[in-house]
Amino acid sequence: SVHNCCSVLRRLSACLPSVMPITRSTVFASYHTVVSKSCCTTEILSCQLPILIMNAAVEKVIQTALGEVGVVESPKGSNRTKYGLWYGVNGQPWCAIWTSWVFHHAGYPLPKIQPPCPSGAAYCPYIEHYAKKVGEWHSKPQPGDLALFHFGKRLAVHIGIVESVHKSGASFYSIEGNT
C-alpha cells in the first residue's frame, strides 16, 4: 500500500536480542490492505541497530514479510490464520499478530508488549501506548519501521511494516497483514 501520512514512531530497541547494540531501525508488517492515499495519522516504530547489522536485519524482516504475501484467513472472514495459531488467539483481527510473527520469524522478536504473548502484541493500541511510553514517536519513516494507522480514529486500528520510502519522504509503501 502507498501511504502519505503524518507522524512516525522510531527506535523500539527492546525488539532486538539483548546482545545486539542498538543504533538503527526495524519493525512492522503484513500483506493486503489497500489504504487511501489521503493523509492519515500514522506512527512508525523501529529498532535501532548498527549499520551493517541494521541493513541485514531490515532486509530479513522485509523479506520475511514479503514471503507471506498472499496468505489469507480461512475460511474467508473468520480471522483464522497460522499467525493467530502461533500467537494463541486465532480468530481475532490479525494485523498486529502478523507483525509480531514476521519479526519473530525473521529472528528479531518484538518485546512482549501484551503478555503472555510470544512477542509483540495482538492489539494496535497496546503497541501505540508502549511506543509513547518509551518515547519513540517520529515523523520520518524508514524501511523496516512499524507504521500504526489511525484512519481518523483516536487510537491506532491497523499496523504494517514500511517497505520503502519515496525519496521526498512524503509517502511510503508498506507490507500489511489482515484481509
Side-chain angles (χ1 to χ4, degrees):
S1 301
V2 179
H3 306 285
N4 298 305
C5 293
C6 309
S7 53
V8 177
L9 158 78
R10 179 150 297 117
R11 285 179 220 75
L12 175 61
S13 58
C15 71
L16 299 172
S18 59
V19 296
M20 287 188 179
I22 304 305
T23 52
R24 221 219 62 91
S25 82
T26 42
V27 187
F28 174 22
S30 194
Y31 136 76
H32 145 271
T33 313
V34 177
V35 176
S36 143
K37 291 185 181 180
S38 62
C39 188
C40 57
T41 303
T42 299
E43 285 77 23
I44 306 293
L45 176 59
S46 76
C47 307
Q48 297 299 315
L49 301 171
I51 196 82
L52 292 175
I53 294 172
M54 180 274 304
N55 289 338
V58 168
E59 185 61 26
K60 178 74 172 169
V61 168
I62 290 172
Q63 289 307 310
T64 301
L66 289 171
E68 298 304 302
V69 170
V71 174
V72 296
E73 55 202 43
S74 180
K76 184 177 180 177
S78 69
N79 283 321
R80 296 193 173 281
T81 65
K82 67 180 183 179
Y83 317 112
L85 283 173
W86 167 80
Y87 197 85
V89 291
N90 207 10
Q92 300 299 314
W94 49 279
C95 60
I97 295 169
W98 183 88
T99 301
S100 300
W101 185 95
V102 167
F103 276 88
H104 182 86
H105 284 81
Y108 301 96
L110 298 172
K112 290 184 179 188
I113 297 168
Q114 187 178 0
C117 69
S119 69
Y123 186 53
C124 294
Y126 287 174
I127 297 169
E128 178 177 9
H129 178 271
Y130 179 86
K132 288 178 178 178
K133 180 179 165 185
V134 299
E136 296 302 339
W137 292 100
H138 297 271
S139 61
K140 296 183 181 179
Q142 296 176 6
D145 286 352
L146 286 174
L148 293 158
F149 302 93
H150 288 245
F151 302 121
K153 308 282 189 216
R154 189 174 64 82
L155 297 173
V157 296
H158 187 60
I159 190 167
I161 298 170
V162 175
E163 179 181 13
S164 63
V165 179
H166 187 274
K167 63 183 171 187
S168 71
S171 62
F172 62 94
Y173 288 89
S174 64
I175 312 162
E176 304 161 21
N178 214 351
T179 53

